[in-house]
Amino acid sequence: MTGHESARSPPPEADEAFDVGTPDALSRMTELFARHGDIYRMYVPTRRAFTYVIHHPVDVKRVLQSHHDNYTKGADRDRIKILLGLGLMTSEEPIWSRHHRLIQPFFHRSVIARLTDAMEAATARFLTRLAEHARSATSINLTQALSELTLEIMLTVIFGADADSLCEPFSLISRDAARNLDFVYRFRALGRLVLELMHRRRSGAPQQFDYLAFLLQARDAAMPTGFSEREIIDEVMTLLIAGHETTAGVLNWTWLLLSDSPECEARLHAELTSRARDGEALGPAFSDRSYARQVLNEVMRLYPPGWLLSRRAIGPDQLGGCDIESGANVFIPLYLLHRDPRYWPEPARFDPDRFAPGASAARSQGAYLPFSAGPRHCIGETLALSEMLFHLRAVVPHYRLTHVPEGPIELEAQVNLRTRRPLRMRVESR
């Protein structure tokens, strides 16, 4: 039940309260979903309010799409805002709409098609590292290598030719995995480098085609003077963290799943080798119907980069037939939604053919949301997919990566879903 039906008694209540960001949040939500089903609530004393956890696609669609205007960013906003300021990920109305309108053109496919040079140089250096490990028969810390690769790509996308001078100070993003207050302080201090670069650009430095240039030039009738310096810094920092960590995480899981699924890996190799041999161009629209895209879709089903969405009800509503009071937080655990056996038979099995053409027709809308949905749908989806497809196209035809276990695979469910310990891979040349 949902939406307009008559309210019933409150949903089941969790025995103990916990909040987003606690190390055991995912495991506890998994157990509570098995016990209580599509909706339950828990009282969080620090917020002096109930948090409702929902799992049914109809309710999810209501919160994110059909009644999105009754929901604002939720409980995770405050801690992310400390790190990223008021960029697109954390800002609210009316700031969010103004910024989104100005920034959205930068993420059109035609624009992203011009950013492949930023991917090529970094990927070439990554391939050199793989070749060295293949020759020496040594394993590579793939998690770290992918973090460095995606960071280098994002720095070039954002800063263009100026990225070289910023690689070392910004390396703390890939070097330091902890996202504690010490990291926040050091990361936010890097904003002064962005400010200095803005001043150089405005004082006559050569024009470039990059994200910073776009932000400096963006104007419309509602914002005739464009972004302030503080707003530009916040948007740059947001894209840097969001664009780097989500892409690196998905690729990390991709290589692990391919290593554990030799038949899928062989099929992907055959497709990408054939396409490369035929000289097929790789643009943002590449492989919307390809097996490579199916692989990435299935990876993000099993391990969505943002595993938990949070919203806060502005006014009262009904979800799952239950009254939701004003001010209540609503959690949407995508990790559990994407593994619900009602919509995904054998949900723990890696099967890219779930996303073969036509396969999604019988699936419930709202059962797959790796980039969220509605107005707050991730603006960087096309950029992220282009970068990940480019990576697979460059690596898979030439190298096979095999996981070297160093213990059980454990999840670290913070803002993003990561492996608790780095993955090591043995590299073999094709």
Side-chain angles (χ1 to χ4, degrees), residues 224-235:
T225 60
F227 292 109
S228 70
E229 291 179 342
R230 178 76 267 164
E231 288 171 331
I232 290 177
I233 291 172
D234 287 350
E235 296 297 354

Side-chain angles (χ1 to χ4, degrees), residues 268-278 393 396-398:
L268 180 64
H269 173 259
E271 177 190 73
L272 294 179
T273 301
S274 173
R275 288 173 180 256
R277 184 171 56 246
D278 294 342
R393 172 76 173 269
V396 171
H398 305 291

Side-chain angles (χ1 to χ4, degrees), residues 79-256:
R79 66 191 185 110
I80 298 175
K81 185 171 66 173
I82 295 172
L83 177 65
L84 301 180
L86 287 175
L88 279 181
M89 188 176 290
T90 57
S91 60
E92 292 296 346
E93 298 293 0
I95 296 173
W96 181 84
S97 289
R98 293 199 300 262
H99 286 208
H100 187 270
R101 187 177 59 252
L102 279 183
I103 292 171
Q104 191 172 35
F106 184 80
F107 292 95
H108 288 170
R109 288 188 170 195
S110 59
V111 175
I112 293 172
R114 297 176 60 184
L115 298 174
T116 54
D117 287 348
M119 304 177 192
E120 287 178 353
T123 302
R125 286 187 281 273
F126 181 80
L127 292 173
T128 299
R129 292 181 66 177
L130 292 183
E132 292 170 353
H133 283 281
R135 283 194 299 269
S136 62
T138 56
S139 63
I140 184 174
N141 181 335
L142 183 70
T143 304
Q144 181 63 29
L146 289 173
S147 181
E148 293 169 0
L149 167 66
T150 56
L151 176 60
E152 184 178 351
I153 289 173
M154 289 311 303
L155 285 171
T156 307
V157 165
I158 295 170
F159 300 116
D162 295 307
D164 288 345
S165 64
L166 298 173
C167 283
E168 175 53 33
F170 278 94
S171 66
L172 73 91
I173 299 173
S174 62
R175 186 177 62 244
D176 299 343
R179 294 297 182 255
N180 51 30
L181 288 178
D182 178 63
F183 175 85
V184 170
Y185 175 79
R186 290 182 292 133
F187 177 72
R188 293 302 304 182
L190 295 173
R192 62 181 174 77
L193 300 179
V194 181
L195 182 62
E196 292 169 4
L197 183 54
M198 280 193 282
H199 290 169
R200 289 203 302 272
R201 296 269 185 107
R202 282 172 165 159
S203 65
Q207 288 281 356
Q208 297 191 47
F209 185 83
D210 55 34
Y211 186 68
L212 180 59
F214 190 90
L215 289 173
L216 287 168
Q217 298 163 11
R219 304 281 192 281
D220 70 4
M223 294 182 66
T225 60
F227 292 109
S228 70
E229 291 179 342
R230 178 76 267 164
E231 288 171 331
I232 290 177
I233 291 172
D234 287 350
E235 296 297 354
V236 164
M237 298 308 220
T238 294
L239 179 61
L240 193 55
I241 289 290
H244 153 258
E245 293 194 345
T246 55
T247 306
V250 172
L251 289 176
N252 196 49
W253 290 113
T254 299
W255 284 112
L256 176 63

Side-chain angles (χ1 to χ4, degrees), residues 25 113 133 159 161 206 248 290 341 355 367 369 384 389 391 427:
H133 283 281
F159 300 116
S290 75
F355 294 93
L369 304 168
L389 288 166
H391 173 83
V427 184

Side-chain angles (χ1 to χ4, degrees), residues 286-430:
F286 167 74
S287 304
D288 280 348
R289 298 171 64 85
S290 75
Y291 189 68
R293 178 65 178 272
Q294 291 174 214
V295 166
L296 290 175
N297 285 344
E298 176 69 345
V299 172
M300 291 186 290
R301 180 188 71 82
L302 287 166
Y303 300 104
W307 71 275
L308 179 73
L309 303 179
S310 70
R311 295 292 186 268
R312 181 175 56 81
I314 298 171
D317 199 4
Q318 287 188 16
L319 297 173
C322 302
D323 287 329
I324 307 296
E325 65 271 17
S326 301
N329 280 299
V330 177
F331 286 173
I332 305 171
L334 297 184
Y335 179 88
L336 299 177
L337 179 66
H338 287 185
R339 290 169 176 254
D340 192 323
R342 292 174 294 182
Y343 319 114
W344 309 99
E346 299 181 78
R349 182 168 62 91
F350 177 61
D351 180 12
D353 279 330
R354 298 179 200 271
F355 294 93
S360 63
R363 191 159 54 238
S364 174
Q365 288 189 346
Y368 181 70
L369 304 168
F371 294 98
S372 189
R376 300 299 292 245
H377 178 276
C378 176
I379 197 172
E381 176 181 0
T382 301
L383 176 60
L385 286 170
S386 298
E387 184 180 345
M388 292 187 287
L389 288 166
F390 188 97
H391 173 83
L392 294 178
R393 172 76 173 269
V395 177
V396 171
H398 305 291
Y399 296 98
R400 178 184 291 110
L401 275 58
T402 306
H403 182 220
V404 181
E406 295 186 326
I409 300 298
E410 298 179 77
L411 297 181
E412 183 180 75
Q414 295 295 319
V415 175
N416 295 306
L417 197 62
R418 305 187 293 190
T419 53
R420 189 171 298 279
R421 60 173 61 87
L423 299 180
R424 297 204 71 85
M425 292 278 176
R426 184 173 67 251
V427 184
E428 300 174 80
S429 297
R430 299 283 189 179

